[in-house]
Amino acid sequence: MGTTATGETTKNRRRTNGAPEVDAVVVGAGVAGLYMLHRLRGLGLSVQVFERGDGVGGTWYWNRYPGARCDTDSVEYSYEFSDELQQEWRWSERFATQPEILRYLEHVADRFDLRRDIQFGTTVTEAAFDEAAGRWRIATDDGARISATYFIMATGCLSAVNRPAFDGLDRFEGEWYHTGAWPHDKVSFAGKRVGIIGTGSSAIQSIPVIAAEAEHLTVFQRQPNYTIPARNAPLDPAEYAAIREQYDELRSRAKENPAACWWELNPATAEELSEDERRQELESRWELGGLAMYGVFNDVLANPAANDVATEFVRSKIRALVDDPHVAELLSPHSFIGCKRICLDTDYYATFNRPNVTLVDISDAPIEEITRTGLRTGGKEYEFDTIVFAIGFDAMTGPLLRVDIRGRDGQTLKAKWADGPRTYLGIAIEGFPNLFTISGPSSPSVLTNMIPSIEQHVEWIADCIAHARASGRPCIEATRQAEDEWIAHHDEVAAGTVFPGCNSWYVGANIPGKPRRVMPYTGGFPEYVKKCDAVAANGYEGFTLSVARA
Ligand code: N01
């Protein structure tokens, strides 16, 4: 890595703690790792954080592509653990840009003096549980070793990029970029012929921005996505002041929402509404912008008939926004809405009315190869100066499995998860004592506002560690039975939703060979929190505590 936007360089790659042994190692200094460090320090633990990037921010450190901004309102996409923090910070727009969110996380790191325990520019490569000692032995790519009682993966759900595996990429003579690992210096598209592969959230945000600058932009689409106008705008000072006064109330109300968001979930099913009422509800959520469409009908994610009402509505909007009926049809998804992440955009559909933008449907003709001067698909060659890969991530399991993690009896996490991830609550894994995953598979994570979900995990994990230490049996491990029961419940709930019915990254369909299963917990945030709270209240039911089970 070179110099970051914040001027930090790889000189930061030094052992901040210096100790060969600490109470806890945390991997990642994004939203989750920063708060985990703060919370564990509060318990009096010695903590070492390792961060691959040269600065804090996690997802907001890496995803610097043009147009990158959050799809959750900035006033709710922020920590709530410190009232002083939420009162002193000022968001400027409804949906904050990547640079603004990164500045916020840098402010958090400074305000809580977190950097002194973070070693930047360092990748954790291996972690093995030493059963005799009851400690994790952890190796990093600088050749160093450290041991810790607790090992916490705060590596995020979307941090392992789906690397372009197209034949011929090494021959390409132009420039190419991945949206999820964008350079820190500005990339110029002026006067360039640009090709972009992918039409997920990252592409949908960047396409209008690139099209405004490039000589020509060609978009290669495998499957279209549903996208809703973001309706971004500067925050109104009076409205913002009112929000700051009611933060507590708004945030606790969000905890009743399945996605931990402030949008209202319609209590009525589609069937309970008249056609006019359904139309009004859809129109008002389209006008409101943001992700409120997820709550348009109580059963939109559970009942295919209700889902069809919403999908036909969005398709009618696409037909109205795109001039060429053939292009409008290509841009119109026919899958369930919400079973892939709904995207938010600014002028996405209108961009396809520009004379310098071409849509190429590759649903039946995969990209055959990258050539010296561009790419070939459907037997046709396209020439580009720049190719942008907006092809997403090896989601949820990718960030965990790229570290060689070994639990009891040397069992690797990779072997344990050969048929798909298995966890207890998305937080703990049987056979891997004292390992915690923040937003792990089978937690609501990516189906919710990530920040309250992360805070809930961090606080739960910190309480769990405090409990284990206070009991004099600091080694805590999920039982096989608890894990089996959680996974059975997780699968049963998922089967009653639209999520299994789409080729999405939620089910691993975007990564060839990845076992197919719904990865996030689909039962909603309130139900999930109730379950976590009950587990804790019942003395960490489903866990065993020991001194160190040699
Ligand atoms: O990735 P994606 P993303 N050949 O996986 C296509 C969050 N996020 O980076 O749909 C050709 O959604 C792939 O096609 P298909 C958000 O949760 C949030 O855009 O698999 N095409 C798809 O079109 C989001 O869901 C924000 O058929 C290939 C695209 O690439 C998640 O991150 C902003 C291909 C990948 O879309 C991921 O979004 C950005 C191939 N070989 C991201 N492989 C906000 O907060 C893949 N594709 C606003």
Side-chain angles (χ1 to χ4, degrees), residues 81-100:
F81 69 84
S82 158
D83 191 48
E84 292 81 7
L85 173 65
Q86 68 186 5
Q87 293 300 337
E88 75 199 9
W89 183 260
R90 291 286 184 277
W91 295 106
S92 63
E93 292 178 84
R94 177 176 178 192
F95 296 105
T97 60
Q98 173 272 331
E100 189 169 8

Side-chain angles (χ1 to χ4, degrees), residues 65 69 71 199-202 205 222-223 340 390-392 505:
Y65 58 83
R69 55 173 83 235
D71 62 5
T199 49
S201 299
S202 304
Q205 287 187 327
R222 193 161 69 177
Q223 297 177 75
K340 292 174 85 172
I391 57 174
W505 59 258

Side-chain angles (χ1 to χ4, degrees), residues 270 299-311 335-337 495-498:
D299 56 346
V300 71
L301 294 179
N303 176 1
N307 199 280
D308 283 350
V309 178
T311 62
S335 50
F336 293 126
I337 191 167
T497 68
V498 296

